[in-house]
Amino acid sequence: MEITESRHRDILVIAPVGRLDSTNAPIFDQRLSTTLERGDTAIVIDLSALDYISSIGLSVLLSVAKKVRRLEGRVALAGMNDRIRSVVEISGFTRIFEIHPTVETAVAAT
Amino acid sequence: MQITRLDVVLAADLADLGALMATLDHFAGVSGLSPDVAFKVQLCLDELVNNVIDHGYAPGAPGEIRLRIEHHGDRLAIEISDDAALFDPFSNPPPDLDLGVDDRPLGGLGVHLVRTLMTEARYAVDAGRNHVRLVLSLEPAS
């Protein structure tokens, strides 16, 4: 799967493209683990290029939230379309994540 | 009233899910389903079929999962039947969404999504097979 990264000051913006399903979610999980291991603990996950997410993709997001909390870092979700946002809300993740309409607002909120 | 129907027989193999999703996309197009409805159908079938393959069959064991989707004007009726170990996916309690991040377990969200996104979700055993029946009421524009 395609995953893009960019850096805004000390914040890493990481964007999965397409689908976070049982095929792709493990690849994104591995990338996030690598990101944390190299010391990037201020992360904005840009979901603006994401078309689809299933519970396996949601588990990857929850897993990174747990790890970032242990590392006393920060993770925010940004740029969700309405369908992705509805699934994130049904899953109760609005209580767990900072959620921003765009990457720009997520980066500016630090 | 025009009825559009899709019948699919799947092997119990996660590698077949990509082809199923493409088939569902095609059905949504032919049947005139909105992108929101197509997304819900894909997600719910993805969750339920994944669960059956992951938990219902021994690793590598053969299996047969049958799907039927019928579009009757203002409603979609979906039936999934399989020959896996008998199990009611709706028997587990819903997840506690008020827990903090440290206490939230990984997993357990798939069936919660199905129950929330569909209008009806029921389980039955028929002729020794698991049957899940879903109904999604459609907005008039769909």
Side-chain angles (χ1 to χ4, degrees):
Chain A
M1 77 175 301
E2 184 183 351
I3 301 167
T4 64
E5 290 186 15
S6 59
R7 197 169 287 280
H8 298 247
R9 302 195 310 270
D10 58 342
I11 299 168
L12 183 77
V13 178
I14 186 163
V17 177
R19 299 171 67 88
L20 275 180
D21 55 16
S22 52
T23 302
N24 291 326
I27 299 166
F28 188 54
D29 189 39
Q30 183 58 49
R31 177 68 77 88
L32 288 168
S33 294
T34 304
T35 299
L36 294 175
E37 282 163 13
R38 74 176 181 227
D40 271 309
T41 57
I43 299 170
V44 172
I45 302 177
D46 175 8
L47 299 176
S48 61
L50 194 68
D51 303 317
Y52 179 88
I53 188 167
S54 70
S55 64
I56 295 175
L58 293 164
S59 287
V60 170
L61 298 181
L62 181 58
S63 173
V64 73
K66 288 172 178 282
K67 291 173 186 167
V68 164
R69 185 173 159 86
R70 281 199 291 275
L71 295 166
E72 299 181 343
R74 171 182 179 248
V75 61
L77 305 181
M80 288 180 276
N81 70 34
D82 288 347
R83 286 192 279 277
I84 303 293
R85 188 181 176 92
S86 74
V87 170
V88 163
E89 286 176 354
I90 290 167
S91 303
F93 281 11
T94 51
R95 298 176 185 80
I96 289 174
F97 287 94
E98 265 184 67
I99 293 178
H100 295 275
T102 65
V103 168
E104 289 70 25
T105 55
V107 168
T110 54
Chain B
M1 179 174 65
Q2 185 178 354
I3 299 173
T4 324
R5 177 192 284 179
L6 173 70
D7 283 296
V8 179
V9 181
L10 287 172
D13 184 344
L14 288 176
D16 285 0
L17 274 180
L20 172 64
M21 294 298 125
T23 302
L24 293 174
D25 264 343
H26 179 73
F27 175 76
V30 169
S31 197
L33 301 178
S34 71
D36 282 352
V37 168
F39 176 82
K40 288 180 184 178
V41 170
Q42 273 207 8
L43 181 55
C44 291
L45 287 175
D46 189 358
E47 298 295 347
L48 293 167
V49 173
N50 252 295
N51 277 354
V52 167
I53 294 174
D54 274 349
H55 305 301
Y57 295 101
E64 182 210 66
I65 303 168
R66 293 179 174 271
L67 308 177
R68 169 169 288 184
I69 307 176
E70 289 182 335
H71 181 199
H72 302 258
D74 63 352
R75 67 195 282 273
L76 275 182
I78 300 171
E79 174 146 354
I80 306 161
S81 85
D82 63 71
D83 57 359
L86 295 180
F87 177 70
D88 176 358
F90 307 116
S91 61
N92 287 329
D96 183 348
L97 304 181
D98 292 326
L99 293 175
V101 60
D102 293 335
D103 297 322
R104 280 288 298 267
L106 295 175
L109 284 171
V111 171
H112 172 64
L113 290 170
V114 173
R115 270 199 282 231
T116 307
L117 292 172
M118 290 288 136
T119 313
E120 292 175 26
R122 294 179 191 166
Y123 169 82
V125 177
D126 190 357
R129 291 172 66 95
N130 294 299
H131 286 256
V132 169
R133 295 183 176 93
L134 308 173
V135 173
L136 179 60
S137 297
L138 304 176
E139 300 295 325
S142 299

